[in-house]
Amino acid sequence: METNKKKFRLFDAVLMSVVVIMVVESVAPAAAIGPSQFFWWIFLLILFFIPYGLVSSELGTAYTGDGGLYDWVRKAFGPRWGGRLAWLYWINYPLWMASLAVLFVQVGAQIFQLKINTFWSIIIQLLFVWVVVLVGNKPVSESKWIMNLAAFAKIVTILALGGLGIYVAMTKGIANNFTLHTMMPQMNLSGLTNLSVIIFNFLGFEVVATMADDMDNPKKQIPQAIIYGGILIAVFYLVAAFGMGVAIPTDKLSASSGLIDSFILLIGKLNWFVVLIGIFFLYILISEMISWALGVNYVADYAGKDHTLPSVFAKEDAKGMPVGTGYLNGIIASILVIAAPFIPNQDIFWAFFSLNVVALLLSYTMLFPAFWKLRKDDPDTPRPFKVPGGKTMINLMTWVPEVLLILTVIFSIFPMNSSAAEVSAKVPVLIGTIITLVVGEIVVRYAEKHHSEPVKTTSVHQN
């Protein structure tokens, strides 16, 4: 039995991390940075992703409780901060689901050339939300085929976009000017908003650390899987971004329809292949939400059992699935898609997506200080993998990515100039962020106040 367990190879870990973490719908927002994104991907890979991967490797192998990021923050800063982390980590999911429901209808209408009125648009979005909720409430063993098919669809879509881009660049020319000068950072603060999307595309790799028990040599394999996975994801995104850059001038690239627009322009018309890619994309949107549901729901369920979130988050069905959190996801996403047509910002997808990205980035701002504090306060816990270097290196590994995270949040929510477009795009996200933080604080304090029982979850670290 033991030999069967030790079958999770380095290749499996890299492939799984790439398939789960790579989100195809964020290719267009990242490509909207323009040719300078090639610099930013490499810059953030070195200064953000590598420290993040190494820190996650140390914490994931040292503190092996089932709560992951929640456990680390709770152990470092106490239950209230654990609750805040769990709230931000969870709330990004229904926001993301709402944004993808909006995108699902936009892409469907585009590829099938339909005119869908507001009423039917909302109905289709609600169907998207509740299909995801109901399938996401099932054990992962029942939906594994969904993930495998999604992996195939993602790889075909990315490679097709990159391959068409290379062919068209060689035969017809390109829409953007790719030179050493244009690929270097431009002094345009409003353009830095999109850097949050690149960091968003790197997040989630700490889940690889939870596979330590199934690896032959986790001390060596976990950091390798994280680093190789990060580089592969960057390569995939850059291949897709190049295809988009060949097809569409950056200033005309839509964050929501950019992917399908690129295929239409590269091929020259809306043909059967573009429709097939569009169907793949619609399927990817559904499967992506389902693949993330279990992880996000489990963290919220875990925090609910630990009484740092209200008990509704801890409701489970007969199979132990966190259905309370699942149904909450559906209710919040449903409210958002019904309200969406009445939001002043016309690009609803980007408004929702920006808020979801900000919420997730804010949750990760607690990771690096937790690492730093646990290194200082809990040096005796065995660390199968340890971030190399002395005090100076540990400080750099903590505070450089932390500052980058905070700066990208600021760039995402505060207008960098006084243009009407910049203000109308960011003010809703700023207001949404403030509301999210205030409601989260109320929810955490409510959970704190309404329990007096001892902690039920055995694997949560005690302070």
Coordinates of all heavy atoms in Angstrom, one line a residue, residues 241-292:
A241 N 0.1 35.5 -25.1 CA 0.1 37.0 -25.1 C 0.8 37.4 -26.5 O 0.4 38.4 -27.0 CB 0.9 37.6 -24.0
F242 N 1.8 36.7 -26.9 CA 2.4 37.0 -28.2 C 1.4 36.9 -29.3 O 1.3 37.8 -30.2 CB 3.6 36.1 -28.5 CG 4.2 36.4 -29.8 CD1 5.0 37.5 -30.1 CD2 4.0 35.5 -30.9 CE1 5.6 37.7 -31.3 CE2 4.5 35.7 -32.1 CZ 5.3 36.8 -32.4
G243 N 0.6 35.8 -29.3 CA -0.5 35.6 -30.3 C -1.4 36.8 -30.3 O -1.8 37.3 -31.4
M244 N -1.8 37.3 -29.1 CA -2.7 38.4 -29.0 C -2.0 39.7 -29.5 O -2.7 40.5 -30.2 CB -3.2 38.6 -27.6 CG -4.2 37.7 -27.1 SD -4.9 38.2 -25.5 CE -6.0 36.8 -25.3
G245 N -0.8 39.8 -29.2 CA 0.0 41.0 -29.6 C 0.1 41.1 -31.1 O 0.2 42.2 -31.7
V246 N 0.2 40.0 -31.8 CA 0.3 39.9 -33.2 C -1.1 40.4 -33.8 O -1.1 41.1 -34.8 CB 0.6 38.5 -33.7 CG1 0.4 38.4 -35.2 CG2 2.1 38.2 -33.4
A247 N -2.2 40.0 -33.2 CA -3.5 40.2 -33.7 C -4.1 41.6 -33.5 O -4.7 42.2 -34.4 CB -4.4 39.1 -33.2
I248 N -3.9 42.1 -32.2 CA -4.7 43.3 -31.8 C -3.7 44.3 -31.2 O -3.0 44.0 -30.3 CB -5.7 42.9 -30.8 CG1 -6.6 41.8 -31.2 CG2 -6.6 44.1 -30.4 CD1 -7.6 41.3 -30.2
P249 N -3.8 45.6 -31.7 CA -3.1 46.7 -31.0 C -3.5 46.7 -29.5 O -4.7 46.6 -29.2 CB -3.5 47.9 -31.8 CG -4.0 47.4 -33.1 CD -4.6 46.1 -32.8
T250 N -2.5 46.9 -28.6 CA -2.8 46.9 -27.2 C -3.9 47.9 -26.8 O -4.8 47.5 -26.0 CB -1.5 47.3 -26.4 OG1 -0.5 46.4 -26.8 CG2 -1.8 47.3 -24.9
D251 N -4.0 49.0 -27.4 CA -5.0 50.0 -27.0 C -6.4 49.6 -27.5 O -7.4 50.2 -27.1 CB -4.7 51.4 -27.5 CG -4.5 51.5 -29.0 OD1 -4.6 50.5 -29.7 OD2 -4.4 52.6 -29.5
K252 N -6.5 48.6 -28.3 CA -7.9 48.1 -28.7 C -8.2 46.8 -28.2 O -9.2 46.2 -28.5 CB -7.9 48.0 -30.3 CG -7.8 49.4 -31.0 CD -8.0 49.3 -32.5 CE -8.2 50.6 -33.1 NZ -7.1 51.6 -32.9
L253 N -7.4 46.3 -27.2 CA -7.6 44.9 -26.7 C -8.6 45.0 -25.5 O -8.4 45.7 -24.6 CB -6.2 44.4 -26.1 CG -6.3 43.0 -25.5 CD1 -6.7 41.9 -26.5 CD2 -4.9 42.7 -24.9
S254 N -9.6 44.2 -25.7 CA -10.7 44.1 -24.6 C -10.3 43.0 -23.6 O -9.9 41.9 -24.0 CB -12.0 43.7 -25.2 OG -12.9 43.3 -24.2
A255 N -10.4 43.3 -22.3 CA -10.1 42.4 -21.3 C -11.0 41.2 -21.3 O -10.7 40.1 -20.8 CB -10.1 43.1 -19.9
S256 N -12.2 41.4 -21.8 CA -13.2 40.3 -21.7 C -13.3 39.5 -23.0 O -13.3 38.3 -23.0 CB -14.6 40.8 -21.4 OG -14.9 42.0 -22.1
S257 N -13.3 40.2 -24.2 CA -13.5 39.5 -25.5 C -12.1 39.3 -26.2 O -12.1 38.8 -27.3 CB -14.5 40.2 -26.3 OG -14.0 41.5 -26.7
G258 N -11.0 39.7 -25.6 CA -9.7 39.8 -26.3 C -9.3 38.4 -26.9 O -8.7 38.3 -28.0
L259 N -9.6 37.3 -26.1 CA -9.1 36.0 -26.6 C -9.8 35.6 -27.9 O -9.1 35.3 -28.9 CB -9.4 35.0 -25.5 CG -8.8 33.6 -25.8 CD1 -7.3 33.5 -25.5 CD2 -9.5 32.5 -25.0
I260 N -11.1 35.7 -27.9 CA -11.8 35.3 -29.2 C -11.5 36.3 -30.3 O -11.4 35.9 -31.4 CB -13.3 35.1 -28.9 CG1 -13.6 34.1 -27.8 CG2 -14.1 34.7 -30.1 CD1 -13.0 32.7 -28.1
D261 N -11.5 37.6 -29.9 CA -11.1 38.6 -31.0 C -9.8 38.3 -31.6 O -9.7 38.4 -32.9 CB -11.0 40.0 -30.3 CG -12.3 40.6 -29.8 OD1 -13.4 40.1 -30.3 OD2 -12.3 41.5 -29.0
S262 N -8.9 37.8 -30.9 CA -7.5 37.5 -31.4 C -7.6 36.4 -32.4 O -7.0 36.4 -33.5 CB -6.6 37.1 -30.3 OG -6.4 38.2 -29.4
F263 N -8.4 35.3 -32.1 CA -8.5 34.2 -33.0 C -9.2 34.6 -34.3 O -8.8 34.2 -35.4 CB -9.3 33.0 -32.4 CG -8.4 32.1 -31.5 CD1 -8.4 32.2 -30.1 CD2 -7.6 31.2 -32.1 CE1 -7.7 31.4 -29.4 CE2 -6.8 30.3 -31.3 CZ -6.8 30.4 -30.0
I264 N -10.2 35.4 -34.2 CA -11.0 35.9 -35.4 C -10.0 36.7 -36.3 O -10.0 36.5 -37.5 CB -12.2 36.7 -35.0 CG1 -13.2 35.9 -34.3 CG2 -12.8 37.4 -36.2 CD1 -14.4 36.6 -33.6
L265 N -9.2 37.6 -35.7 CA -8.3 38.5 -36.5 C -7.2 37.7 -37.0 O -6.7 37.9 -38.2 CB -7.8 39.6 -35.6 CG -8.8 40.7 -35.3 CD1 -8.4 41.6 -34.1 CD2 -9.1 41.5 -36.5
L266 N -6.6 36.7 -36.3 CA -5.5 35.9 -36.8 C -6.0 35.0 -38.0 O -5.2 34.8 -38.9 CB -4.9 35.0 -35.7 CG -4.1 35.8 -34.6 CD1 -3.9 34.8 -33.4 CD2 -2.8 36.3 -35.1
I267 N -7.2 34.5 -37.9 CA -7.7 33.6 -39.0 C -8.3 34.4 -40.1 O -8.3 34.0 -41.2 CB -8.6 32.5 -38.4 CG1 -7.9 31.5 -37.5 CG2 -9.4 31.8 -39.5 CD1 -8.7 30.6 -36.7
G268 N -8.8 35.5 -39.7 CA -9.4 36.4 -40.7 C -10.9 36.4 -40.8 O -11.6 37.2 -41.4
K269 N -11.6 35.4 -40.1 CA -13.0 35.4 -40.0 C -13.4 34.4 -38.9 O -12.6 33.7 -38.3 CB -13.6 34.8 -41.3 CG -13.1 33.4 -41.7 CD -13.6 33.0 -43.1 CE -13.0 31.6 -43.4 NZ -13.5 31.1 -44.7
L270 N -14.7 34.5 -38.6 CA -15.3 33.6 -37.6 C -15.6 32.3 -38.2 O -16.7 32.1 -38.8 CB -16.6 34.2 -36.9 CG -17.3 33.4 -35.9 CD1 -16.4 33.2 -34.6 CD2 -18.6 34.1 -35.4
N271 N -14.7 31.3 -38.2 CA -15.0 30.0 -38.9 C -15.2 28.9 -37.8 O -15.2 29.2 -36.6 CB -13.8 29.7 -39.8 CG -12.5 29.4 -39.1 OD1 -12.4 29.5 -37.9 ND2 -11.5 29.0 -39.8
W272 N -15.2 27.7 -38.3 CA -15.5 26.5 -37.4 C -14.5 26.4 -36.3 O -14.8 26.0 -35.2 CB -15.6 25.2 -38.2 CG -14.3 24.8 -38.8 CD1 -13.9 25.1 -40.1 CD2 -13.3 24.0 -38.2 NE1 -12.6 24.6 -40.3 CE2 -12.2 23.9 -39.2 CE3 -13.1 23.4 -37.0 CZ2 -11.1 23.2 -38.9 CZ3 -12.0 22.7 -36.7 CH2 -10.9 22.6 -37.7
F273 N -13.2 26.7 -36.6 CA -12.1 26.6 -35.7 C -12.3 27.6 -34.5 O -12.1 27.2 -33.3 CB -10.8 26.7 -36.3 CG -9.6 26.5 -35.4 CD1 -9.3 25.2 -35.0 CD2 -8.8 27.5 -34.9 CE1 -8.2 24.9 -34.1 CE2 -7.8 27.3 -34.0 CZ -7.5 26.0 -33.7
V274 N -12.6 28.8 -34.9 CA -12.9 29.8 -33.8 C -14.0 29.4 -32.9 O -14.0 29.5 -31.7 CB -13.1 31.2 -34.4 CG1 -13.4 32.2 -33.3 CG2 -11.9 31.6 -35.3
V275 N -15.1 28.9 -33.5 CA -16.2 28.4 -32.7 C -15.8 27.3 -31.8 O -16.2 27.2 -30.6 CB -17.4 27.9 -33.7 CG1 -18.5 27.3 -32.9 CG2 -17.9 29.1 -34.5
L276 N -15.0 26.3 -32.3 CA -14.5 25.2 -31.5 C -13.7 25.7 -30.3 O -13.9 25.3 -29.2 CB -13.7 24.3 -32.4 CG -13.1 23.1 -31.6 CD1 -14.2 22.1 -31.1 CD2 -12.1 22.3 -32.5
I277 N -12.8 26.7 -30.6 CA -12.0 27.3 -29.5 C -12.9 28.0 -28.5 O -12.7 27.9 -27.3 CB -10.9 28.3 -30.1 CG1 -9.8 27.5 -30.9 CG2 -10.3 29.2 -29.0 CD1 -8.9 26.7 -30.0
G278 N -13.9 28.7 -29.0 CA -14.9 29.3 -28.2 C -15.6 28.4 -27.3 O -15.8 28.6 -26.1
I279 N -16.0 27.2 -27.8 CA -16.6 26.2 -27.0 C -15.7 25.6 -25.9 O -16.0 25.4 -24.8 CB -17.2 25.0 -27.9 CG1 -18.3 25.5 -28.8 CG2 -17.6 23.8 -27.1 CD1 -18.7 24.6 -29.9
F280 N -14.4 25.4 -26.3 CA -13.4 25.0 -25.4 C -13.3 26.0 -24.2 O -13.2 25.7 -23.0 CB -12.0 24.9 -26.0 CG -11.7 23.6 -26.8 CD1 -12.7 22.6 -26.8 CD2 -10.5 23.4 -27.4 CE1 -12.4 21.5 -27.5 CE2 -10.2 22.2 -28.1 CZ -11.2 21.3 -28.1
F281 N -13.3 27.3 -24.6 CA -13.2 28.4 -23.7 C -14.3 28.4 -22.7 O -14.2 28.6 -21.5 CB -13.0 29.7 -24.4 CG -12.7 30.9 -23.5 CD1 -11.7 30.8 -22.6 CD2 -13.3 32.1 -23.6 CE1 -11.3 31.9 -21.8 CE2 -13.0 33.2 -22.9 CZ -12.0 33.1 -21.9
L282 N -15.6 28.2 -23.2 CA -16.7 28.2 -22.3 C -16.6 27.0 -21.3 O -17.0 27.2 -20.2 CB -18.0 28.0 -23.2 CG -18.4 29.2 -24.1 CD1 -19.6 28.9 -24.9 CD2 -18.6 30.5 -23.3
Y283 N -16.1 25.9 -21.8 CA -16.0 24.7 -21.0 C -14.9 25.0 -19.9 O -15.1 24.6 -18.7 CB -15.6 23.5 -21.8 CG -15.4 22.3 -21.0 CD1 -16.5 21.6 -20.5 CD2 -14.1 21.8 -20.7 CE1 -16.3 20.4 -19.7 CE2 -13.9 20.7 -19.9 CZ -15.0 20.0 -19.4 OH -14.8 18.9 -18.6
I284 N -13.8 25.7 -20.3 CA -12.7 26.0 -19.4 C -13.3 26.9 -18.2 O -12.9 26.7 -17.1 CB -11.6 26.7 -20.1 CG1 -10.8 25.7 -21.0 CG2 -10.6 27.4 -19.1 CD1 -9.9 26.4 -22.0
L285 N -14.1 27.8 -18.6 CA -14.7 28.7 -17.5 C -15.4 27.9 -16.5 O -15.3 28.2 -15.3 CB -15.6 29.8 -18.2 CG -14.9 30.8 -19.2 CD1 -15.9 31.8 -19.7 CD2 -13.7 31.5 -18.5
I286 N -16.2 27.0 -16.9 CA -17.0 26.2 -16.0 C -16.1 25.3 -15.2 O -16.2 25.2 -13.9 CB -18.1 25.3 -16.7 CG1 -19.1 26.2 -17.4 CG2 -18.8 24.4 -15.8 CD1 -20.1 25.5 -18.3
S287 N -15.2 24.6 -15.9 CA -14.3 23.6 -15.2 C -13.4 24.3 -14.2 O -13.0 23.8 -13.1 CB -13.5 22.8 -16.2 OG -12.7 23.6 -16.9
E288 N -12.9 25.5 -14.5 CA -12.0 26.3 -13.7 C -12.7 26.5 -12.3 O -12.1 26.4 -11.3 CB -11.7 27.6 -14.4 CG -10.3 28.1 -14.1 CD -10.0 29.1 -15.2 OE1 -10.6 30.2 -15.2 OE2 -9.1 28.8 -16.0
M289 N -13.9 27.0 -12.4 CA -14.7 27.3 -11.2 C -14.9 26.0 -10.3 O -14.7 26.0 -9.1 CB -16.0 27.9 -11.5 CG -16.0 29.3 -11.9 SD -15.6 30.5 -10.6 CE -13.9 30.6 -10.6
I290 N -15.1 24.9 -11.0 CA -15.3 23.6 -10.3 C -14.0 23.2 -9.6 O -14.0 22.7 -8.5 CB -15.9 22.5 -11.2 CG1 -17.3 22.9 -11.7 CG2 -15.9 21.2 -10.6 CD1 -17.8 22.1 -12.8
S291 N -12.9 23.3 -10.4 CA -11.6 22.8 -9.8 C -11.2 23.7 -8.6 O -10.5 23.1 -7.7 CB -10.6 22.9 -10.9 OG -10.2 24.2 -11.2
W292 N -11.5 24.9 -8.6 CA -11.2 25.8 -7.4 C -12.1 25.7 -6.3 O -11.8 26.0 -5.1 CB -11.1 27.2 -7.9 CG -9.8 27.6 -8.5 CD1 -9.4 27.4 -9.8 CD2 -8.7 28.2 -7.8 NE1 -8.1 27.8 -9.9 CE2 -7.6 28.4 -8.8 CE3 -8.4 28.7 -6.5 CZ2 -6.4 29.0 -8.5 CZ3 -7.2 29.3 -6.3 CH2 -6.2 29.4 -7.2

